[in-house]
Each structure stands twice: as structure tokens, then as C-alpha cells.
Amino acid sequence: MNDPSIIRRLYGRRQGHKLRAGQAALVEDLLPRVAVPDTGPLDAEALFGDARPLQVEIGFGAGEHLAGQATVNPGTGFIGCEPFLNGVVGALGHIRDGALANVRLHMGDALEVLERLPDASLSRVYLLHPDPWPKARHAKRRMVNHGPLDLIAAKLKPGAEFRLGTDDPTYCRWAMMVMNQRRDFEWTATAAADFLTRPADWPETRYERKARRQGHEVWYFRYIRR
């Protein structure tokens, strides 16, 4: 396995605007109840008390997609990983408003959570609109690199799905190049429409709406773990 530590340093901001009183209360009261444990092995039993299927979203933004998937799949356990505090607060609001009991959150590096999960334990992994790090010298910081992909592949069950979404042309080309080098993932697209049209079970995110308002194309990649 290639070393995923090439991106283990988390770059960028951890917090944006100051939290309002209600948001701070969510962090203080709700986050401890839904947080992924800090240590120890992880599985569905440890997180949800049963053997339900598990899915992971890497960098869930404000949590719209995570909450949408959790709402329509109540029998599946969702693990959302996001280092940005204001994004975690957004997800907590969705969990509270939707009374979502099937979501756990990790405010930090998604790779730390993936490493603690059993191999072949995930039915799906999402990576939607990751930071593109557009400068060539920053390419090693992108999540779509062989080290992180080795880890994602190890944790996905055979036949499970890796979903990647981006509106950044550089990241799109990079992802296609890197994923084409993999033999453990099969791209499901057979025509351009397959990655230019958002699937019906892919809830829209605010990043996607913003991209479309700015006239950007959005690409939807679906890969099956061989």
C-alpha cells in the first residue's frame, strides 16, 4: 500500500465566522453524542449498535448531501468527516432538524477514521467537491492520490461504490488520469451523459449550486470496487 500520509497535514482554515449562541450549543450538546470515538477500532456495532451497512463521506461541507443520504437510507450508518468547524455545525443542524440517528461525525482527518475501520466494511465512499489545490506544486495535497485511494479501496467491499464530484476542470482531469491508472476501480460511465448528469440519488450540495450559478460544469464520477 502506498503511504496515505502524503496528505496527512490538514491545510487551510479550521473555522470561519464566529459561532452564534445556538451553534455553539449544538457543538457543546449534540456533537459529543454523535461524534466518532477518538480511539479504538470502529465498525457498525461500535458506532450504531448493530451490523448495518456503513458509508463514509470525506469532507461533507455543510452536510446537505450527508443528511440527504441519511434521510432516505435510515437503515444505513453514515460517517461524515470534516475538519472545518462551521461545516460540522451545519451538519449538526441537519441532524437535529431531521432527527437523524444514523449519522456520526468526525471533525478532523477522514483518513484517521478510515484506518480504524475493518477492510471491506464500507458499501460506499463519497468525495464531493474536494479542495482542488490547483497549483501543480500542491498536487500532492489532493485527496485523489494513490495513497488515499489505496486506503479507500481497502475499506470498500467488492462491488461497493466510490463517488467523486467536482466542478474544477483541473481536478477533473487529474482525477481521470489517476483513476485510469488504478486496476481496483472500474468507472461506470459508458457515455458522456453518465458523468455530466447528477444521479437521482445524489443530493445536490450548496457547492454544486454555487458552481452552476457561476456557469461551471459539474462532473459526477462513479467507480465500482473490483
Side-chain angles (χ1 to χ4, degrees):
M1 178 184 292
N2 292 327
D3 183 3
S5 65
I6 56 173
I7 63 161
R8 296 313 283 273
R9 177 181 173 188
L10 290 173
Y11 296 88
R13 300 178 302 164
R14 298 297 297 274
Q15 182 174 347
H17 58 77
K18 183 179 179 180
L19 299 183
R20 299 188 296 272
Q23 294 174 319
L26 276 177
V27 173
E28 182 176 351
D29 299 332
L30 181 55
L31 182 57
R33 302 204 301 269
V34 301
V36 172
D38 290 333
T39 60
L42 298 173
D43 58 18
E45 185 70 35
L47 293 170
F48 299 101
D50 54 34
R52 69 183 62 198
L54 290 178
Q55 300 185 12
V56 170
E57 182 164 350
I58 300 171
F60 55 72
E64 305 101 324
H65 176 273
L66 182 66
Q69 292 288 359
T71 299
V72 299
N73 297 287
T76 296
F78 290 85
I79 306 170
C81 304
E82 171 62 59
F84 188 35
L85 176 60
N86 295 93
V88 171
V89 170
L92 289 171
H94 290 298
I95 292 171
R96 176 200 59 199
D97 296 344
L100 300 175
N102 59 332
V103 179
R104 297 292 181 266
L105 302 181
H106 172 69
M107 192 172 73
D109 184 0
L111 299 182
E112 295 174 353
V113 170
L114 288 172
E115 286 176 337
R116 294 162 60 197
L117 290 164
D119 287 353
S121 63
L122 299 177
S123 59
R124 190 175 290 174
V125 171
Y126 305 94
L127 177 62
L128 309 183
H129 300 275
D131 194 321
W133 293 108
K135 295 181 180 179
R137 68 176 183 272
H138 294 154
K140 66 181 180 180
R141 301 182 184 179
R142 297 170 187 158
M143 183 62 73
V144 177
N145 269 300
H146 290 300
L149 289 171
D150 282 346
L151 186 57
I152 291 171
K155 303 306 174 179
L156 283 170
K157 298 177 181 179
E161 189 175 358
F162 172 49
R163 289 191 175 186
L164 167 67
T166 185
D167 63 294
D168 184 85
T170 298
Y171 208 101
C172 177
R173 291 190 295 269
W174 174 268
M176 292 177 71
M177 177 189 71
V178 172
M179 293 302 294
N180 190 53
Q181 297 168 0
R182 311 278 311 185
R183 295 297 173 261
D184 45 5
F185 288 100
E186 179 180 359
W187 192 15
T188 63
T190 59
D194 292 337
F195 62 96
L196 292 174
T197 304
R198 178 165 48 86
D201 64 343
W202 188 316
E204 187 179 40
T205 69
R206 67 177 60 188
Y207 298 103
E208 183 181 344
R209 290 193 295 273
K210 179 180 178 181
R212 293 202 183 283
R213 287 197 304 268
Q214 295 175 341
H216 297 176
E217 187 59 85
V218 180
W219 296 278
Y220 309 90
F221 295 94
R222 300 171 67 184
Y223 295 92
I224 299 300
R225 175 70 167 97
R226 288 185 170 130

